[in-house]
Amino acid sequence: MHCEPPDMVCETKIVAAEDHAALPGAKKDALLAAAGAMWPPLPAAPGPAAAPPPGPQPLGGAGGAEPPGGRGVHIREFRAAEQEAARRIFHDGIMERIPNTAFRGLRQHPRTQLLYALLAALCFALTRSLLLTCLVPVGLLGLRYYYSRKVILAYLDCALHTDMADIEQCYMKPPGSCFWVAVLDGNVVGIVAARAHEADNTVELLRMSVDARFRGKGIAKALGRKVLEFALVHNFSAVVLGTTAVKVAAHRLYESLGFRHVGSSDRYVLPGMTLSLAERLFFQVRYHRYRLQLREE
């Protein structure tokens, strides 16, 4: 079983020339103003709101400012006391992948659909029983759910025992990486992380998840924009991400943030996969890569 996620964030080193807090005020304001021009403001929450102070504003509610997506929601850096809340949101988000991968994900794999249809036809040819033939798709979907659950739980276990086991150590202490939370009424309702890649001076967006009870309020977009601000201020050349998400809404979110789809693969090996014959037959994921170019090297 592959339990070690690639390029563990605990190994991250600094690749940027400047630290956000150490930037002179004028330069920091100029960078944030450029960010605001690059990513248009999100729709404001309904109801009266106080006018923002003059000057450029951080994206996504930096420093406790309210981002779009709900009055009282703000994005700030992770605190050690929020470890379990962040792990819970990550766990719940990954668990949603099980039925999505097993059922919705089948639409992305026409060859697998054809194979399943041939198995049903073979069953009818051998048995001449409509009942048994109708039971074949039910059995195949049941096996897809079983193997999707098996693999995703193994992946979840790996993640919860690696970088998500100690967020403070793996994301907050190493320079060039960070972890943020979305907070509403004192409760953590969303998470996102960033880690640097020294080889190509890029930063990776990962671990984004929002509590299901608070979706549709622009929180995920505010979290994403926080990573983009981080990358811009720290002089990274691009922001990259990889996802096996099946839901169209997730891909639309990345595109709305300015990411460009740069490729996909059906041969991605998810941490936790054993690559057994049964697993290959009943579990498939499509890995998508996105990139947002900030500047040319």
Side-chain angles (χ1 to χ4, degrees):
M1 179 183 297
H2 302 277
C3 283
E4 294 184 4
D7 301 324
M8 277 298 299
V9 72
C10 297
E11 302 296 328
T12 302
K13 296 181 181 179
I14 187 68
V15 299
E18 298 162 306
D19 181 77
H20 194 165
L23 286 173
K27 185 170 185 179
K28 179 177 175 181
D29 287 349
L31 286 169
L32 294 176
M38 185 178 299
W39 303 296
L42 301 175
Q57 299 298 311
L59 299 177
E66 289 187 16
R71 194 171 299 123
V73 179
H74 61 279
I75 312 299
R76 61 167 170 75
E77 290 187 1
F78 167 85
R79 298 171 184 171
E82 296 160 341
Q83 171 80 21
E84 289 308 312
R87 281 165 56 92
R88 174 187 59 79
I89 291 174
F90 173 72
H91 171 276
D92 292 349
I94 294 298
M95 290 298 289
E96 292 179 14
R97 298 284 182 93
I98 295 174
N100 288 334
T101 302
F103 306 133
R104 289 188 182 183
L106 183 57
R107 294 180 296 183
Q108 298 180 348
H109 302 280
R111 291 183 180 180
T112 302
Q113 294 178 44
L114 178 60
L115 175 61
Y116 291 175
L118 290 175
L119 289 174
L122 179 62
C123 176
F124 181 76
L126 293 175
T127 66
R128 297 296 176 179
S129 170
L130 287 175
L131 177 61
L132 290 178
T133 302
C134 290
L135 289 176
V136 169
V138 176
L140 292 173
L141 290 176
L143 287 169
R144 284 188 64 85
Y145 184 86
Y146 171 80
Y147 280 98
S148 294
R149 179 178 174 83
K150 177 177 178 289
V151 173
I152 290 174
L153 285 178
Y155 163 75
L156 182 60
D157 183 67
C158 289
L160 292 176
H161 286 85
T162 51
D163 62 306
M164 293 299 291
D166 191 342
I167 296 171
E168 180 77 18
Q169 180 66 34
C170 287
Y171 287 100
M172 303 307 296
K173 290 187 177 180
S177 62
C178 196
F179 197 100
W180 296 270
V181 295
V183 180
L184 173 63
D185 297 332
N187 299 312
V188 176
V189 297
I191 59 172
V192 73
R195 68 176 178 185
H197 294 283
E198 183 176 5
D200 55 2
N201 192 36
T202 62
V203 63
E204 182 181 5
L205 183 157
L206 69 167
R207 301 309 191 212
M208 180 187 283
S209 187
V210 175
D211 190 314
R213 297 169 296 176
F214 301 96
R215 291 175 188 167
K217 299 178 179 295
I219 296 174
K221 183 172 283 191
L223 286 165
R225 291 178 68 174
K226 174 53 66 177
V227 176
L228 304 186
E229 177 194 330
F230 177 83
L232 186 67
V233 171
H234 286 78
N235 204 33
F236 290 102
S237 61
V239 183
V240 298
L241 67 87
T243 181
T244 58
V246 173
K247 288 184 177 181
V248 174
H251 297 274
R252 287 178 177 168
L253 168 65
Y254 305 139
E255 292 168 358
S256 73
L257 287 167
F259 284 90
R260 182 171 60 89
H261 188 261
V262 294
S264 62
S265 172
D266 291 333
R267 298 183 179 181
Y268 179 71
V269 179
L270 194 71
M273 292 180 67
T274 62
L275 300 180
S276 66
L277 178 60
E279 197 172 88
R280 290 171 183 266
L281 184 61
F282 297 112
F283 177 81
Q284 301 91 23
V285 291
R286 177 165 294 171
Y287 183 74
H288 298 269
R289 299 186 304 278
Y290 285 87
R291 183 182 183 94
L292 194 163
Q293 193 71 33
L294 298 175
R295 62 181 178 84
E296 296 299 329
E297 285 293 315

